[in-house]
Amino acid sequence: MAKDYITFTIGPKKDIALIAHDNEKPKLIEWCREHYAILKHHNLYGTGTTARMITDQTGLTVKGYNSGPLGGDQQIGAKIVEGVIDFVVFFSDPLTAQPHDPDVKALMRIAQVYDIPMAVNKATADFMITSEYMSTDYQHDVINFRKTIQERADTL
Protein backbone atom coordinates (compact mmCIF):
# COMPACT_ATOMS: atom_id res chain seq x y z
CA MET A 1 0.00 0.00 0.00
CA ALA A 2 1.31 3.45 -0.88
CA LYS A 3 2.22 5.95 1.80
CA ASP A 4 -0.41 8.39 3.09
CA TYR A 5 1.88 11.36 2.37
CA ILE A 6 4.41 12.25 -0.31
CA THR A 7 7.38 14.49 0.45
CA PHE A 8 7.90 17.38 -1.96
CA THR A 9 10.85 19.73 -2.05
CA ILE A 10 10.57 23.47 -2.59
CA GLY A 11 13.94 24.41 -4.03
CA PRO A 12 16.07 27.42 -3.20
CA LYS A 13 14.65 29.29 -6.21
CA LYS A 14 10.99 29.77 -5.31
CA ASP A 15 8.01 30.19 -7.62
CA ILE A 16 6.11 32.99 -5.88
CA ALA A 17 2.58 34.20 -6.59
CA LEU A 18 1.96 37.88 -5.81
CA ILE A 19 -1.68 38.90 -5.45
CA ALA A 20 -3.45 41.91 -3.93
CA HIS A 21 -6.95 43.29 -3.71
CA ASP A 22 -7.30 46.81 -5.16
CA ASN A 23 -6.95 48.68 -1.86
CA GLU A 24 -3.86 46.60 -1.00
CA LYS A 25 -1.97 46.91 -4.30
CA PRO A 26 0.11 49.94 -3.16
CA LYS A 27 1.18 48.02 -0.03
CA LEU A 28 2.22 44.98 -2.06
CA ILE A 29 4.14 47.13 -4.54
CA GLU A 30 5.98 48.82 -1.67
CA TRP A 31 6.66 45.42 -0.11
CA CYS A 32 8.14 44.25 -3.41
CA ARG A 33 10.39 47.31 -3.49
CA GLU A 34 11.52 46.63 0.08
CA HIS A 35 12.37 43.02 -0.79
CA TYR A 36 13.57 43.56 -4.36
CA ALA A 37 17.03 42.13 -3.61
CA ILE A 38 15.46 38.82 -2.58
CA LEU A 39 12.57 38.68 -5.04
CA LYS A 40 14.76 39.24 -8.11
CA HIS A 41 16.28 35.77 -7.56
CA HIS A 42 12.93 33.97 -7.74
CA ASN A 43 10.26 33.30 -10.37
CA LEU A 44 7.32 35.65 -9.86
CA TYR A 45 3.71 35.22 -10.94
CA GLY A 46 0.65 37.34 -10.31
CA THR A 47 -2.92 38.10 -11.17
CA GLY A 48 -3.65 40.64 -13.93
CA THR A 49 -3.41 44.20 -12.73
CA THR A 50 -1.22 43.37 -9.74
CA ALA A 51 1.38 41.64 -11.91
CA ARG A 52 1.43 44.55 -14.36
CA MET A 53 1.71 47.20 -11.64
CA ILE A 54 4.54 45.37 -9.85
CA THR A 55 6.47 44.99 -13.09
CA ASP A 56 5.92 48.62 -14.11
CA GLN A 57 6.70 50.12 -10.70
CA THR A 58 9.50 47.90 -9.39
CA GLY A 59 11.30 46.51 -12.42
CA LEU A 60 10.67 42.93 -11.27
CA THR A 61 9.52 40.50 -13.95
CA VAL A 62 6.13 39.05 -13.02
CA LYS A 63 4.30 36.57 -15.26
CA GLY A 64 0.70 37.73 -15.31
CA TYR A 65 -2.46 35.67 -15.35
CA ASN A 66 -6.04 36.95 -15.53
CA SER A 67 -7.33 39.51 -13.07
CA GLY A 68 -8.68 37.90 -9.89
CA PRO A 69 -12.39 38.48 -10.64
CA LEU A 70 -11.82 37.09 -14.15
CA GLY A 71 -10.36 33.80 -12.96
CA GLY A 72 -6.80 34.75 -12.01
CA ASP A 73 -7.11 33.40 -8.46
CA GLN A 74 -8.30 30.11 -9.94
CA GLN A 75 -5.37 30.07 -12.37
CA ILE A 76 -2.92 30.51 -9.51
CA GLY A 77 -4.71 27.73 -7.63
CA ALA A 78 -4.38 25.45 -10.65
CA LYS A 79 -0.65 26.22 -10.81
CA ILE A 80 -0.35 25.17 -7.16
CA VAL A 81 -2.03 21.85 -8.02
CA GLU A 82 0.33 21.42 -11.00
CA GLY A 83 3.35 22.02 -8.74
CA VAL A 84 4.31 25.31 -10.39
CA ILE A 85 3.59 27.75 -7.52
CA ASP A 86 5.16 26.98 -4.17
CA PHE A 87 4.80 30.25 -2.25
CA VAL A 88 1.93 32.78 -2.17
CA VAL A 89 1.84 36.39 -1.00
CA PHE A 90 -1.74 37.66 -1.08
CA PHE A 91 -2.39 41.07 0.44
CA SER A 92 -6.11 40.73 0.94
CA ASP A 93 -8.46 43.51 1.98
CA PRO A 94 -10.34 42.35 5.09
CA LEU A 95 -12.54 45.46 5.23
CA THR A 96 -14.03 45.48 1.73
CA ALA A 97 -16.44 42.90 0.32
CA GLN A 98 -15.00 41.21 -2.76
CA PRO A 99 -17.28 39.96 -5.55
CA HIS A 100 -14.91 37.05 -6.17
CA ASP A 101 -14.60 36.03 -2.51
CA PRO A 102 -15.42 32.35 -3.29
CA ASP A 103 -12.42 32.29 -5.64
CA VAL A 104 -10.17 33.72 -2.93
CA LYS A 105 -11.39 31.12 -0.44
CA ALA A 106 -10.78 28.37 -3.00
CA LEU A 107 -7.21 29.62 -3.51
CA MET A 108 -6.60 29.70 0.23
CA ARG A 109 -8.02 26.20 0.58
CA ILE A 110 -5.87 24.74 -2.20
CA ALA A 111 -2.74 26.34 -0.71
CA GLN A 112 -3.61 24.69 2.59
CA VAL A 113 -4.34 21.30 0.97
CA TYR A 114 -0.96 21.35 -0.81
CA ASP A 115 0.90 22.72 2.26
CA ILE A 116 2.00 25.86 0.39
CA PRO A 117 3.18 28.83 2.47
CA MET A 118 0.74 31.73 2.10
CA ALA A 119 0.98 35.20 3.58
CA VAL A 120 -2.21 37.27 3.72
CA ASN A 121 -0.66 40.41 5.20
CA LYS A 122 2.63 42.32 5.31
CA ALA A 123 3.79 41.00 8.68
CA THR A 124 3.45 37.38 7.60
CA ALA A 125 5.05 38.12 4.22
CA ASP A 126 7.99 39.81 6.00
CA PHE A 127 8.50 36.77 8.21
CA MET A 128 8.30 34.40 5.25
CA ILE A 129 10.58 36.33 2.88
CA THR A 130 13.28 36.67 5.55
CA SER A 131 13.05 33.04 6.63
CA GLU A 132 16.12 30.82 6.39
CA TYR A 133 14.09 28.66 3.97
CA MET A 134 14.06 31.37 1.29
CA SER A 135 17.53 30.37 0.12
CA THR A 136 17.46 26.65 0.86
CA ASP A 137 15.47 23.55 0.05
CA TYR A 138 12.35 22.98 2.12
CA GLN A 139 10.72 19.57 2.32
CA HIS A 140 7.04 19.29 3.10
CA ASP A 141 4.55 16.45 3.16
CA VAL A 142 1.45 16.49 1.00
CA ILE A 143 -1.43 14.02 1.06
CA ASN A 144 -0.88 11.18 -1.41
CA PHE A 145 -3.86 11.89 -3.63
CA ARG A 146 -3.17 8.91 -5.90
CA LYS A 147 -3.61 6.61 -2.93
CA THR A 148 -6.80 8.41 -1.93
CA ILE A 149 -8.19 8.15 -5.48
CA GLN A 150 -7.30 4.45 -5.70
CA GLU A 151 -8.98 3.74 -2.34
CA ARG A 152 -12.13 5.64 -3.41
CA ALA A 153 -12.23 3.87 -6.76
CA ASP A 154 -11.90 0.50 -5.03
CA THR A 155 -14.86 1.20 -2.73
CA LEU A 156 -17.30 2.65 -5.27
Side-chain angles (χ1 to χ4, degrees):
M1 179 70 53
K3 299 186 311 181
D4 289 336
Y5 291 88
I6 299 172
T7 301
F8 286 106
T9 301
I10 297 174
K13 185 170 185 172
K14 311 293 186 262
D15 292 291
I16 303 170
L18 302 168
I19 308 166
H21 286 142
D22 289 348
N23 290 341
E24 300 294 314
K25 287 180 186 351
K27 290 179 192 172
L28 181 58
I29 292 165
E30 184 55 34
W31 183 84
C32 289
R33 283 188 188 115
E34 290 172 14
H35 298 287
Y36 178 90
I38 296 169
L39 291 170
K40 71 180 181 179
H41 298 291
H42 300 280
N43 300 318
L44 306 176
Y45 307 83
T47 51
T49 310
T50 304
R52 176 65 182 267
M53 290 174 72
I54 291 169
T55 297
D56 290 349
Q57 296 182 37
T58 69
L60 291 165
T61 301
V62 183
K63 177 180 174 29
Y65 291 101
N66 288 349
S67 179
L70 299 177
D73 299 325
Q74 296 298 324
Q75 288 179 296
I76 297 292
K79 293 300 176 189
I80 290 172
V81 173
E82 293 170 10
V84 174
I85 301 292
D86 48 34
F87 189 107
V88 178
V89 176
F90 189 156
F91 281 20
S92 64
D93 182 351
L95 301 177
T96 304
Q98 302 295 326
H100 64 293
D101 192 52
D103 299 333
V104 173
K105 287 182 177 164
L107 174 60
M108 293 174 80
R109 180 186 170 280
I110 210 71
Q112 186 175 7
V113 167
Y114 283 85
D115 196 31
I116 296 299
M118 182 173 190
V120 294
N121 58 39
K122 183 181 182 304
T124 307
D126 285 342
F127 272 78
M128 287 172 43
I129 199 83
T130 59
S131 164
E132 65 184 83
Y133 297 117
M134 279 306 297
S135 60
T136 64
D137 285 346
Y138 178 78
Q139 294 187 340
H140 62 123
D141 292 332
V142 177
I143 295 169
N144 183 347
F145 293 108
R146 288 189 181 167
K147 178 180 181 241
T148 303
I149 291 167
Q150 183 61 51
E151 289 172 352
R152 289 195 66 202
D154 291 345
T155 62
L156 296 176

